[in-house]
Amino acid sequence: MDVPYTGRDAACIGGQASAAHQGPQTSQGKGVAPLSQDTRPPAIVLGLTGNAMGVLRSLDRLGVDAYGVYSDRSAEIARHSRRLRTRYRVADPAAGEQVLRALHAIRRQAGTSTKPVLLPTNDTYSRFISLHRDELEPGFSFRTLPRGMEEAFIDKRQAVSICRRHGIPIPRSCVPDSFAE
């Protein structure tokens, strides 16, 4: 089987909605108005480190089906979340073809007429979306910076410089030039 990911870790949880998908709830336990089932797109969370946990909780509260893509079994703890319908492991997140194939497999599995929303949770996947935007746009929804700006904001030194140049308030930032600094 010619697939770019190293395998699907889990099938749709029990083949049906898990307890996490039995209805959207706010943190106060009050229901929130879910989007229409016909218009609610699934979400694909790219990178399942700790940053993804908050994203998954928010999606779950809204009743949005979430799928995940990850690469590092030791660091990506959100891959264990019950809020994921399915998770796909890619050997190298920088290898665009692997990630593209995993995304298309998830889209087919989701079986929806609406475009899944891509939610990158780290610089690697933000860069991936920026580099592959033309290939992704027909089948997925996402937000990205204008061409050429993505790298500037991934490089923290450049991001600080841009913010200062445009008068955007930011916390005091220091970028050391060496390990000794």
Side-chain angles (χ1 to χ4, degrees):
M1 183 173 181
D2 183 30
V3 291
Y5 48 89
T6 57
R8 192 170 73 193
D9 278 2
C12 179
I13 302 168
Q16 58 189 345
S18 68
H21 293 281
Q22 291 181 356
Q25 296 287 315
T26 65
S27 58
Q28 292 81 26
K30 298 177 183 172
V32 292
L35 298 169
S36 163
Q37 193 68 27
D38 296 334
T39 59
R40 180 179 39 212
I44 302 174
V45 180
L46 299 167
L48 298 177
T49 61
N51 292 337
M53 292 301 290
V55 173
L56 292 171
R57 285 184 195 115
S58 295
L59 293 170
D60 188 56
R61 277 189 221 112
L62 294 171
V64 174
D65 286 340
Y67 299 81
V69 174
Y70 74 101
S71 64
D72 185 352
R73 287 179 181 261
S74 64
E76 300 195 45
I77 61 169
R79 75 181 194 280
H80 298 293
S81 175
R82 70 173 190 256
R83 292 173 168 93
L84 285 170
R85 302 287 291 171
T86 301
R87 70 246 340 124
Y88 283 83
R89 183 169 183 259
V90 294
D92 179 5
E97 191 62 30
Q98 289 182 8
V99 179
L100 286 169
R101 287 191 186 180
L103 293 176
H104 287 293
I106 291 170
R107 184 166 184 236
R108 282 190 304 276
Q109 180 186 356
T112 179
S113 61
T114 57
K115 292 180 179 182
V117 177
L118 300 180
L119 300 171
T121 63
N122 61 40
D123 291 346
T124 300
Y125 288 110
S126 292
R127 182 178 287 122
F128 165 81
I129 290 172
S130 180
L131 292 173
H132 298 279
R133 70 177 77 205
D134 294 334
E135 298 157 90
L136 293 167
E137 197 154 26
F140 302 91
S141 294
F142 54 89
R143 294 276 188 223
T144 190
L145 294 169
R147 292 190 192 274
M149 293 297 295
E150 190 74 38
E151 286 301 318
F153 277 93
I154 288 173
D155 179 333
K156 304 313 178 208
R157 185 183 305 265
Q158 288 185 50
V160 167
S161 176
I162 290 168
C163 290
R164 286 185 179 147
R165 190 170 46 243
H166 293 284
I168 298 169
I170 58 172
R172 183 171 171 251
S173 300
C174 299
V175 182
D177 287 318
S178 68
F179 187 74
E181 286 184 304

